[in-house]
Amino acid sequence: MSRSHLARLAASAVGVLLAAAVLTPGPAVAQPHRAAGSAGCGTPTDLTPGASTSRSLTVDGERRDYLVHLPDSYDPDRPIPLVLSFHGHGRTSDYQERLTGMNALDAVVVYPQGVIGTDGKSAWEGAPYSADVDDIAFTNALIDASEKELCVNPRRVFASGKSNGGGFAAVVACRLADRIAAAAVVSGAFYPQSGACDPRRPVPVLDFHGQADTTIPYDGNPEKGLPALPDWLAGWAQRDGCAARPSETQVEDNVVRQRWRSCDDGSALEHYRITDGGHVWPSTTPNEDSATPTTIDATPLIRKFFTEHPLPRN
């Protein structure tokens, strides 16, 4: 056999070994299953990767608007998460997009726009000042439209929001537990007008709230029916079948993380209590809410939490 032929055989063997090293994670690591995609997988879209586009749809005879952002890496053949991000009272989908920085996620991010409520400001269902519209139907329609047009992983559909939008993200988790894998709430407003919460399954929830929040006080506001955060969290812990008392970790001088253990069906409940935190989206750099940075970033923590909690398989 010639030296050149031997050299080609050696190079080929090295190539096979290198490929195995890259593609085989090793005996202790299970190979991930290929994510099952939505109806939109394999279909071209007129949306531009890396850009945000205004969209609208009709729900109960009313036009509803929203922004949708595709990541730079969007591939119509690769199912990715869908994250819904609801703005606060009086805010807009544009504001929520700038505030949260969620466009950096490897996900389709939808920023819905609330309808003008009884006080002349945008709001979401479940608040005393919200319009007489069905925002749960709107949310369902948004998920349907996103899964039909884009390549979405139906087991990784998430709800998030701030203030009134955060409270509504919790309402979505209550009523759409069969579609929403997990929810993240920042400075949530949990009004009694939201109604009873009886999800079909334990839903993982991540919550952030500042003890210096004067808009939605940490200790609640009985006149408005707003619960104290410890009471609301205890209710969700019971709903998810978690241990009654959380473990606590001091993650920063002014931030305590609480985690409830032993939740049913792999669910989870986590809370970040920010001692000096106001009514803001926590960020270590100035954002639309505040020129004063906080000591933690909410968005990366939300991304991690969502990554860890897909919708359970049937």
Side-chain angles (χ1 to χ4, degrees):
M1 186 178 293
S2 69
R3 290 185 179 181
S4 61
H5 186 57
L6 287 171
R8 285 195 299 271
L9 287 176
S12 176
V14 169
V16 170
L17 289 172
L18 286 174
V22 172
L23 298 176
T24 306
V29 182
Q31 287 279 12
H33 294 286
R34 180 173 174 80
S38 64
C41 291
T43 303
T45 176
D46 60 352
L47 298 177
T48 303
S52 298
T53 306
S54 296
R55 285 284 218 233
S56 65
L57 48 79
T58 301
V59 180
D60 296 333
E62 183 167 357
R63 170 175 163 159
R64 301 301 304 267
D65 298 322
Y66 61 100
L67 283 178
V68 57
H69 180 87
L70 299 188
D72 289 328
S73 60
Y74 179 76
D75 179 345
D77 294 317
R78 181 176 69 96
I80 59 176
L82 169 64
V83 177
L84 305 173
S85 185
F86 297 95
H87 63 73
H89 180 212
R91 300 299 189 184
T92 64
S93 52
D94 293 301
Y95 183 96
Q96 184 72 0
E97 179 182 38
R98 296 192 305 270
L99 173 67
T100 63
M102 284 192 168
N103 287 355
L105 304 181
D106 185 25
V108 174
V109 186
V110 171
Y111 303 93
Q113 179 60 50
V115 172
I116 300 300
T118 57
D119 62 354
K121 299 179 181 179
S122 59
W124 297 104
E125 178 181 344
Y129 42 74
S130 62
D132 185 18
V133 295
D134 189 342
D135 283 325
I136 291 295
F138 176 38
T139 302
N140 251 327
L142 281 173
I143 298 172
D144 287 343
S146 299
E147 291 184 348
K148 181 179 180 180
E149 180 181 2
L150 301 168
C151 193
V152 169
N153 183 345
R155 292 185 59 234
R156 293 188 177 276
V157 178
F158 305 100
S160 62
K162 188 206 161 187
S163 193
N164 169 224
F168 182 64
V171 173
V172 170
C174 293
R175 300 188 192 174
L176 299 180
D178 56 335
R179 305 195 77 177
I180 297 296
V185 178
V186 174
S187 303
F190 309 115
Y191 291 105
Q193 287 85 348
S194 298
C197 178
D198 187 20
R200 298 180 183 179
R201 50 169 276 272
V203 181
V205 171
L206 172 62
D207 182 78
F208 301 81
H209 213 109
Q211 289 184 296
D213 189 335
T214 57
T215 303
I216 308 295
Y218 195 91
D219 295 328
N221 185 329
E223 291 183 4
K224 295 182 177 180
L226 292 169
L229 258 294
D231 294 339
W232 184 84
L233 290 163
W236 205 278
Q238 184 177 29
R239 207 170 281 122
D240 277 1
C242 308
R245 294 182 178 274
S247 62
E248 294 195 353
T249 304
Q250 192 86 33
V251 295
E252 297 289 347
D253 289 343
N254 64 332
V255 181
V256 171
R257 180 183 65 209
Q258 294 181 317
R259 283 181 172 174
W260 282 257
R261 306 290 184 180
S262 305
C263 303
D264 290 344
D265 301 333
S267 188
L269 177 61
E270 295 186 20
H271 170 62
Y272 284 81
R273 184 178 70 227
I274 307 167
T275 305
D276 55 354
H279 195 64
V280 300
W281 188 278
S283 173
T284 54
T285 58
N287 62 17
E288 294 290 312
D289 274 352
S290 176
T292 304
T294 52
T295 54
I296 60 170
D297 275 309
T299 298
L301 293 169
I302 291 171
R303 179 201 60 77
K304 182 176 183 294
F305 188 82
F306 284 172
T307 299
E308 294 170 349
H309 297 289
L311 197 67
R313 296 183 185 277
N314 294 330

